[in-house]
Amino acid sequence: MTLERWLFSLFLLLVGVFSKASGAFVGINIGTDVSTLPSETDIVAILKAHQFTHVRLYNADAHLLKALAGSGIEVTVGVTNEEVLGIGESASAAAAWINKNVAAYLPSTNITAIGVGSEVLTTIPNVAPVLVSAMNYLHKALVAANLNFQVKVSTPQNIDIIPKSFPPSTATFNSSWNSTIYQLLQFLKNTNSYYMLNAYPYYGYTRGDGIFPIDYALFRPLPSVKQIVDPNTLFHYSSMFDAMVDATYYAIEAANFSGIPVVVSEAGWPWLGGAREPDANMENAETFNNNLIRRVLNNSGPPSQPTLPINTYIYELFNEDKRPGPVSEKNWGVLFTNGSSVYPLNLGTSGQITGNGSAVFCVAKSDADSDKLQDGLNWACGQGRANCSAIQSGQPCYFPDNLENHASYAYNDYYQRMQSVGGTCDFDGTATTTSIDPSYGNCIFTGSSNSSTSGGLLPPSALSPEVAPGSWSSNLQISKLQLLISAAFPALVLL
């Protein structure tokens, strides 16, 4: 083993130690069906600026993998569905793929996993017979390159391969896939890998014909008369997300396997839909993803596996406007390609938000009492003399139309106007300061580096003094996406 490879192995061992200490992480998927995709260098700059430490790619794009070198970001690379068949039929093709798309970039690019295909069993079932063969061939190629301890192999599958996921305790995999599922689970067990689950409460709710309340899909508290309970275990499920993850654990158990952790490779909510997609809206997307982040970062598992954190990748970084299908299919992104956030996201489970920006903002705490928030909003827009015109109907900051968003805007406007003469960011304990810019889309908060005025439309020239909309430079100032990845390893950056 070369010294470089030995040092890389030591690095990954330390990463493992730190990740266990840090708990669960929230990562991000990067799709590329985008008309004006930023350059690879700029995408990495975005990821670093927003403190993403885990990303999942749907392919093994050479330019992006090269750009990720030295970033420390953990990368899951993808074998495309078009590549699965050839790799599954040829060990030499698998070895060539590993050499070209993994070994060539290690250790500079921190590749830690390979996702073989995307929902192969439900999207290209004719390839299912060679899926596990492809995984085996890739793993053997990793062993030959002495990379099998650094890079895990798995395959993302949709929750739909479990025909009936509720109640979770009775969940089993579709029996028509018994042979493939058994081979898959055996492979994951033998290689100490994990099961990749694509779990979308949005579809669980919209296709559920009203069986479950929307609050259940959005992680909102349910009244006692509407509690979702598994009648066999009496476990209470506070969210559809938890139920989907638990159903997967029970299905794995029903196949006589245990000790295989579940990682959610995709979860999210579209923020814009067509006329027949009323639930795809900005308020629901903001609520879902904020609550998802909070849920994952509390480091607990579903009811049947309470000690196993649910590492999760949000779908997705940018809106993929080139994707076919309904309007909602194109609008899952948390960022616009010009760097602004689609809607504000909270960084973590606490009210205090941290970041690297030089400006300071005042925002409402996500767990604040609603009555106190309303009182604070009324005071700020009244006696406090905040300019609240931007949160009126039809104005840039009206959506998402909820109390927390409106209070945050009013609190910040008051704070920016009055802090020099003693104004504070407290509002009866419902507010906190942050260095993360809460601006999103055309809603600009005073104090942001993008604008010196509040609530105005952001003109194209304001995006950067040097570049036009849709393009990037490495030093472009961008608003900070309020999304914390708890498994960041600042100590390792120093190595």
Side-chain angles (χ1 to χ4, degrees):
M1 181 184 293
T2 65
L3 176 61
E4 183 183 51
R5 188 71 68 194
W6 180 87
L7 288 172
F8 181 57
S9 299
L10 176 61
F11 169 79
L12 286 175
L13 176 61
L14 290 171
V15 166
V17 171
F18 273 82
S19 63
K20 286 180 174 60
S22 300
F25 66 79
V26 177
I28 193 79
N29 286 275
I30 305 178
T32 55
D33 287 337
V34 183
S35 297
T36 55
L37 193 68
S39 72
E40 292 80 11
T41 301
D42 293 327
I43 290 174
V44 175
I46 294 169
L47 295 171
K48 293 171 71 174
H50 296 313
Q51 303 179 52
F52 287 106
T53 61
H54 294 74
V55 300
R56 174 176 167 237
L57 312 180
Y58 292 93
N59 55 19
D61 182 85
H63 297 292
L64 187 51
L65 288 173
K66 183 177 180 181
L68 283 161
S71 67
I73 295 170
E74 290 197 31
V75 182
T76 295
V77 294
V79 175
T80 66
N81 283 354
E82 293 74 19
E83 295 174 308
V84 174
L85 184 61
I87 291 173
E89 293 178 339
S90 170
S92 60
W97 195 95
I98 291 296
N99 288 334
K100 177 184 178 182
N101 300 306
V102 178
Y105 300 100
L106 290 172
S108 298
T109 302
N110 189 15
I111 299 172
T112 57
I114 300 170
V116 182
S118 177
E119 303 183 351
V120 169
L121 299 186
T122 51
T123 57
I124 48 171
N126 59 299
V127 177
V130 300
L131 173 61
V132 181
S133 294
M135 298 172 71
N136 267 309
Y137 285 148
L138 290 167
H139 178 72
K140 289 177 180 178
L142 290 171
V143 172
N146 198 32
L147 295 173
N148 55 300
F149 292 108
Q150 291 95 328
V151 184
K152 297 299 180 183
V153 178
S154 188
T155 177
Q157 298 301 330
N158 195 291
I159 187 68
D160 290 346
I161 67 170
I162 300 173
K164 186 181 178 183
S165 59
F166 198 89
S169 61
T170 62
T172 59
F173 292 110
N174 189 324
S175 59
S176 62
W177 299 118
N178 275 354
S179 176
T180 300
I181 290 294
Y182 178 83
Q183 295 174 41
L184 169 59
L185 296 176
Q186 189 68 66
F187 171 85
L188 298 177
K189 183 73 172 180
N190 291 345
T191 61
N192 195 30
S193 189
Y194 47 85
Y195 186 95
M196 286 183 169
L197 168 68
N198 289 355
Y200 286 100
Y202 170 74
Y203 292 122
Y205 170 72
T206 56
R207 298 171 183 173
D209 297 323
I211 296 175
F212 297 107
I214 192 169
D215 287 342
Y216 179 57
L218 296 174
F219 299 88
R220 287 174 174 158
L222 296 171
S224 57
V225 295
K226 292 185 178 181
Q227 292 291 311
I228 308 298
V229 181
D230 187 317
N232 302 307
T233 62
L234 299 183
F235 285 144
H236 287 240
Y237 288 89
S238 59
S239 72
M240 189 179 292
F241 176 82
D242 276 75
M244 287 177 167
V245 174
D246 229 2
T248 306
Y249 275 115
Y250 278 110
I252 292 171
E253 182 181 323
N256 296 315
F257 286 90
S258 62
I260 300 174
V262 172
V263 169
V264 177
S265 39
E266 294 179 21
W269 197 283
W271 63 271
L272 182 65
R276 297 184 179 180
E277 301 174 299
D279 301 298
N281 61 62
M282 192 174 292
E283 181 176 357
N284 285 348
E286 180 191 2
T287 298
F288 178 86
N289 278 327
N290 274 308
N291 287 337
L292 172 65
I293 295 166
R294 188 178 298 112
R295 167 65 188 92
V296 171
L297 296 185
N298 73 13
N299 290 322
S300 66
S304 78
Q305 307 287 337
T307 63
L308 295 181
I310 311 172
N311 293 329
T312 299
Y313 292 80
I314 289 178
Y315 184 83
E316 61 183 333
L317 186 61
F318 301 122
N319 299 311
E320 293 188 275
D321 61 308
K322 293 168 63 177
R323 287 184 66 86
V327 174
S328 62
E329 191 67 21
K330 311 171 192 295
N331 292 287
W332 294 76
V334 297
L335 280 183
F336 294 114
T337 54
N338 66 10
S340 61
S341 51
V342 176
Y343 46 80
L345 288 177
N346 289 328
L347 285 176
T349 55
S350 67
Q352 184 64 44
I353 302 172
T354 59
N356 300 319
S358 57
V360 175
F361 305 86
C362 179
V363 296
K365 291 182 178 179
S366 59
D367 58 351
D369 178 80
S370 59
D371 290 336
K372 288 185 176 180
L373 267 184
Q374 186 66 63
D375 290 342
L377 173 61
N378 293 342
W379 186 92
C381 294
Q383 187 177 345
R385 298 185 178 180
N387 181 356
C388 296
S389 60
I391 56 177
Q392 304 306 309
S393 180
Q395 296 306 306
C397 302
Y398 178 70
F399 288 108
D401 180 18
N402 61 53
L403 189 56
E404 182 182 338
N405 180 62
H406 289 179
S408 289
Y409 187 88
Y411 287 2
N412 184 69
D413 191 87
Y414 166 83
Y415 181 68
Q416 301 301 335
R417 292 169 183 270
M418 303 302 293
Q419 62 173 322
S420 62
V421 292
T424 63
C425 180
D426 183 74
F427 293 92
D428 198 17
T430 64
T432 185
T433 56
T434 174
S435 58
I436 299 297
D437 190 342
S439 302
Y440 58 96
N442 290 328
C443 178
I444 309 303
F445 279 56
T446 302
S448 108
S449 58
N450 297 42
S451 174
S452 61
T453 61
S454 60
L457 293 175
L458 181 62
S461 61
L463 291 173
S464 168
E466 301 173 357
V467 295
S471 62
W472 278 81
S473 66
S474 61
N475 63 350
L476 176 61
Q477 292 268 358
I478 57 178
S479 63
K480 302 293 187 179
L481 171 64
Q482 296 183 18
L483 177 63
L484 177 66
I485 310 302
S486 69
F489 310 122
L492 292 179
V493 176
L494 301 176
L495 294 180

